[in-house]
Amino acid sequence: QQKVQQSPESLIVPEGGMASLNCTFSDRNSQYFWWYRQHSGEGPKALMSIFSNGDKKEGRFTAHLNKASLYVSLHIKDSQPSDSALYFCAGASSGSWQLIFGSGTQLTVMP
Amino acid sequence: ETAVFQTPNYHVTQVGNEVSFNCKQTLGHDTMYWYKQDSKKLLKIMFSYNNKQLIVNETVPRRFSPQSSDKAHLNLRIKSVEPEDSAVYLCASSLGQGRNTLYFGAGTRLSVL
């Protein structure tokens, strides 16, 4: 059974600051990774997917993947109060029916 | 833009009752899921279903059962609820499995008294 270590559990950054979130997966068959964001009272929404080694940038968000160490990270540049939410990493293997989620990082951006 | 619709938003019931939650997706996806989000916000897969196959997470108690009329609908029935069933139940859909992004509804919050 896939285990996912996500850190930190909670993170407070000032508006305009950088937020960094991390995950490590245990299943060597993991190939596909996502970051999801969940605002209070809503369902999780996919923020970014990353399937290849290296960095992927979308606006203020940069995801990083190292497949050898099964490590993914998310960096949020110029954080905004609207970025305050619960962030999950998630991973799946090829053809798998299961998307396994990390335990979440509660991000608070202080104005 | 919401494309996965869940009803009801909230449901309060007593131990031993039967409850049923509805989910509909308008994305044209062929695979739907139910996840449980507990009080610590952990997300656990319960079921995956497409028009060919139902896959059940072996840890899900047998009182839970998914029900589908077509590929756009996947309901969840709980026979005889127990206190530990109090949680948010999230429905999701995707185009196939593996490398396909899941799209979630807003969830149904169940409170068992």
Side-chain angles (χ1 to χ4, degrees):
Chain A
Q1 177 76 15
Q2 169 91 276
K3 301 264 189 247
V4 185
Q5 298 274 15
Q6 184 170 351
S7 64
E9 190 174 314
S10 64
L11 181 61
I12 300 175
V13 299
E15 184 174 356
M18 172 80 85
S20 295
L21 292 64
N22 309 287
C23 281
T24 303
F25 292 77
S26 65
D27 185 354
R28 285 266 151 218
N29 294 317
S30 299
Q31 292 182 276
Y32 310 116
F33 302 91
W34 289 260
W35 284 97
Y36 279 77
R37 180 165 77 177
Q38 184 178 25
H39 285 107
S40 183
E42 299 178 6
K45 184 175 177 181
L47 202 54
M48 292 180 71
S49 63
I50 185 163
F51 301 159
S52 301
N53 274 328
D55 293 340
K56 181 178 181 181
K57 185 177 178 186
E58 291 184 0
R60 297 183 294 108
F61 299 86
T62 300
H64 172 81
L65 170 61
N66 180 326
K67 280 195 172 183
S69 55
L70 293 174
Y71 170 79
V72 295
S73 63
L74 179 70
H75 303 279
I76 307 173
K77 183 177 147 184
D78 187 23
S79 297
Q80 301 298 307
S82 57
D83 294 329
S84 296
L86 186 57
Y87 288 76
F88 294 98
C89 57
S93 56
S94 178
S96 171
W97 71 283
Q98 292 193 59
L99 182 63
I100 304 298
F101 285 82
S103 53
T105 295
Q106 183 67 54
L107 173 65
T108 304
V109 181
M110 303 294 288
Chain B
E1 183 183 347
T2 305
V4 181
F5 302 92
Q6 292 187 241
T7 57
N9 295 327
Y10 302 96
H11 190 80
V12 181
T13 191
Q14 294 189 326
V15 171
N17 284 351
E18 177 174 317
V19 299
S20 194
F21 306 144
N22 302 312
C23 180
K24 170 187 170 181
Q25 55 94 5
T26 59
L27 294 164
H29 288 167
D30 58 2
T31 306
M32 295 184 73
Y33 310 81
W34 279 102
Y35 276 79
K36 179 181 179 180
Q37 187 168 38
D38 64 19
S39 58
K40 294 182 180 177
K41 305 294 186 184
L42 297 176
L43 285 162
K44 300 244 173 98
I45 181 82
M46 300 179 73
F47 304 100
S48 166
Y49 186 80
N50 63 22
N51 56 10
K52 298 174 187 174
Q53 192 178 21
L54 168 67
I55 305 179
V56 181
N57 185 327
E58 60 192 18
T59 66
V60 173
R62 297 180 74 147
R63 60 182 180 278
F64 289 85
S65 60
Q67 299 170 316
S68 178
S69 55
D70 56 55
K71 71 175 188 177
H73 297 83
L74 184 66
N75 300 332
L76 180 66
R77 185 178 79 154
I78 315 174
K79 268 172 57 170
S80 191
V81 295
E82 299 194 5
E84 61 264 31
D85 299 337
S86 294
V88 175
Y89 292 87
L90 290 157
C91 176
S93 71
S94 69
L95 192 62
Q97 298 174 334
R99 64 182 290 153
N100 298 291
T101 297
L102 267 61
Y103 294 81
F104 284 86
T108 293
R109 180 176 296 277
L110 173 66
S111 290
V112 181
L113 305 177

